[in-house]
Amino acid sequence: MDKLRLKFSKTGRAVYISHLDLMRTMQRVFSRAGVQLKYSEGFNPHAKISIILPLTVGTRSLCEYMDFALAGEEDLTALPARLNPFMPEGIEALEAYEAPCKGAELRWLRVTGRMTGGRDAAFYNAFFAKPEILVTRRSKKGERVDNIAEMISRAVFMDGEDGVSADLIIHAQEPTLNPDVMMTALGKDVPEYFRFTRVEAFKEDMTPFR
């Protein structure tokens, strides 16, 4: 079975699992669940799995996606229940299905967050509504300056008793905008504490990504 996709969440202590460790973890989970992944051919075979848009360490997500292939036939609707008893704390398989599109079609993410020790919501709403927000970023080709305002579809902030909440829709791939980068754009006004969670994924036309 080829071109399959697993949707899973990554929260709690699991947010500190790196991308490479997550790949190894998933292979062990499938093995312990008795579900045989398909492997590549050649001198150095490897499991046919790939994580779409790997998370930054420390970030929570309710909508992670892994593409994979199986060596045999499996009931995909029952697959999450088979895998979850072997998952580490904080990772939960939510859905398994035949992938209806390429992973590269994931274009936008809805991200929520909480910020404390900074400015009020009115300040952040005004700042991220600006038509130009320049950030210097490093790449393999050296430093470049990006206008991240073009990568933000929505940025709504609200004051609360325990800080400022954020509800964002930001570009996920080509180009990629990490909410942590949004915070660095604030310069001296960056909050003392912030944490974000991916909650929904969309295609370019803002239809749900699956």
Side-chain angles (χ1 to χ4, degrees):
M1 300 178 72
D2 295 316
K3 298 181 180 179
L4 306 179
R5 183 162 293 158
L6 180 73
K7 180 180 180 181
F8 63 98
S9 60
K10 190 177 180 213
T11 61
R13 295 168 60 187
V15 301
Y16 301 108
I17 298 176
S18 69
H19 172 60
L20 290 179
D21 285 340
L22 179 62
M23 296 281 282
R24 299 185 191 102
T25 296
M26 287 299 192
Q27 291 182 55
R28 289 196 297 268
V29 167
F30 273 80
S31 177
R32 291 170 181 171
V35 181
Q36 188 175 356
L37 290 166
K38 183 176 286 188
Y39 279 73
S40 62
E41 299 178 355
F43 294 105
N44 186 28
H46 59 274
K48 291 190 173 183
I49 64 172
S50 62
I51 306 293
I52 302 173
L53 205 64
L55 271 175
T56 302
V57 173
T59 302
R60 301 171 71 249
S61 179
L62 308 180
C63 58
E64 291 303 282
Y65 298 92
M66 184 185 86
D67 285 353
F68 65 102
L70 296 178
E73 296 293 322
E74 295 286 347
D75 179 0
L76 295 179
T77 59
L79 188 58
R82 288 186 61 183
L83 299 177
N84 281 331
F86 304 96
M87 290 286 193
E89 178 186 347
I91 298 179
E92 181 182 4
L94 303 173
E95 292 182 85
Y97 48 87
E98 294 186 25
C101 63
K102 295 181 179 179
E105 293 186 43
L106 195 166
R107 280 290 189 267
W108 296 94
L109 287 169
R110 181 178 172 224
V111 179
T112 60
R114 178 70 59 184
M115 303 141 62
T116 58
R119 304 290 294 269
D120 61 9
F123 174 85
Y124 299 124
N125 282 318
F127 184 92
F128 288 108
K130 294 189 298 184
E132 186 175 80
I133 305 170
L134 301 180
V135 171
T136 301
R137 298 203 275 186
R138 292 181 179 178
S139 68
K140 294 179 180 179
K141 297 181 180 180
E143 290 189 344
R144 71 175 191 270
V145 178
D146 291 332
N147 178 16
I148 65 169
E150 300 172 348
M151 309 173 201
I152 302 171
S153 175
R154 181 174 75 192
V156 177
F157 299 85
M158 294 183 64
D159 291 313
E161 293 182 359
D162 55 348
V164 176
S165 64
D167 192 345
L168 317 170
I169 294 181
I170 58 178
H171 215 263
Q173 298 187 90
E174 299 179 6
T176 299
L177 177 59
N178 188 310
D180 289 1
V181 172
M182 291 180 63
M183 296 296 100
T184 65
L186 292 164
K188 63 181 177 60
D189 293 306
V190 63
E192 293 179 3
Y193 172 85
F194 53 85
R195 174 164 283 190
F196 295 95
T197 302
R198 291 179 182 175
V199 293
E200 291 181 89
F202 304 95
K203 298 166 74 171
E204 187 64 51
D205 61 1
M206 294 305 296
T207 56
F209 176 85
R210 279 183 53 78

